């Protein structure tokens, strides 16, 4: 079984990628019960700026079938896409599952949830995965 270490408060930085395709650098400050993050990168054929926050549940989600403890968070993010023809704005409401290493200050996470595009009037489903190092 892969038991999770408890989440640590403080600054984290790392990489994020996902589908539909996006890739970038992410930074996060964890306050304990909540966290704020910012990501810069490339997504949807444009420059991507993502600002968000999450509320963390204090007990891990334990699934004996998976043999792993995951911490659950729910939050939101604001995406700004800048491309050659203009810009687009979207609001996402992801659920995050994270696993923290015991021996190293690393956090691995997966996010998934709907995203509403205001400029183009559409709904998409976003999925991300990444890793962050705790300073």
């Amino acid at each position: 079984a892969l038991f999770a270490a408890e989440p640590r408060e403080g600054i984290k930085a790392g990489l994020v990628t996902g589908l539909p395709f996006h890739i970038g650098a992410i930074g996060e400050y964890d306050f304990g019960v909540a966290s704020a993050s910012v990501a810069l990168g490339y997504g949807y054929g444009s420059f991507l700026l993502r600002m968000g926050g999450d509320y963390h549940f204090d007990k891990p989600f334990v699934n004996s079938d998976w043999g792993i403890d995951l911490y659950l968070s729910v939050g939101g993010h604001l995406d700004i896409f800048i491309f050659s023809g203009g810009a687009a704005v979207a609001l996402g409401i992801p659920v995050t599952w994270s696993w923290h290493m015991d021996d190293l200050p690393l956090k691995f996470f997966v996010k998934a949830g709907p995203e509403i595009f205001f400029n183009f009037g559409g709904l998409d489903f976003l999925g991300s995965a990444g890793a962050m190092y705790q300073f």
Side-chain angles (χ1 to χ4, degrees), residues 18-108:
L19 293 174
F21 178 74
H22 61 279
I23 188 167
I26 186 170
E28 175 182 273
Y29 188 83
D30 192 328
F31 299 97
V33 71
S35 63
S37 63
V38 64
L40 298 170
Y42 177 83
Y44 299 93
S46 61
F47 175 75
L48 168 64
L49 170 63
R50 173 174 291 156
M51 298 165 284
D54 287 313
Y55 169 78
H56 308 296
F57 295 96
D58 58 349
K59 301 284 184 196
F61 171 75
V62 179
N63 187 319
S64 59
D65 293 335
W66 294 351
I68 190 169
D69 294 347
L70 298 171
Y71 282 87
L72 181 65
S73 303
V74 177
H77 63 250
L78 175 69
D79 286 347
I80 301 172
F81 303 96
I82 302 170
F83 48 92
S84 61
V89 176
L91 181 64
I93 307 167
V95 174
T96 304
W97 298 270
S98 59
W99 182 75
H100 302 258
M101 288 188 75
D102 219 358
D103 299 335
L104 295 172
L106 290 175
K107 171 186 174 180
F108 297 93

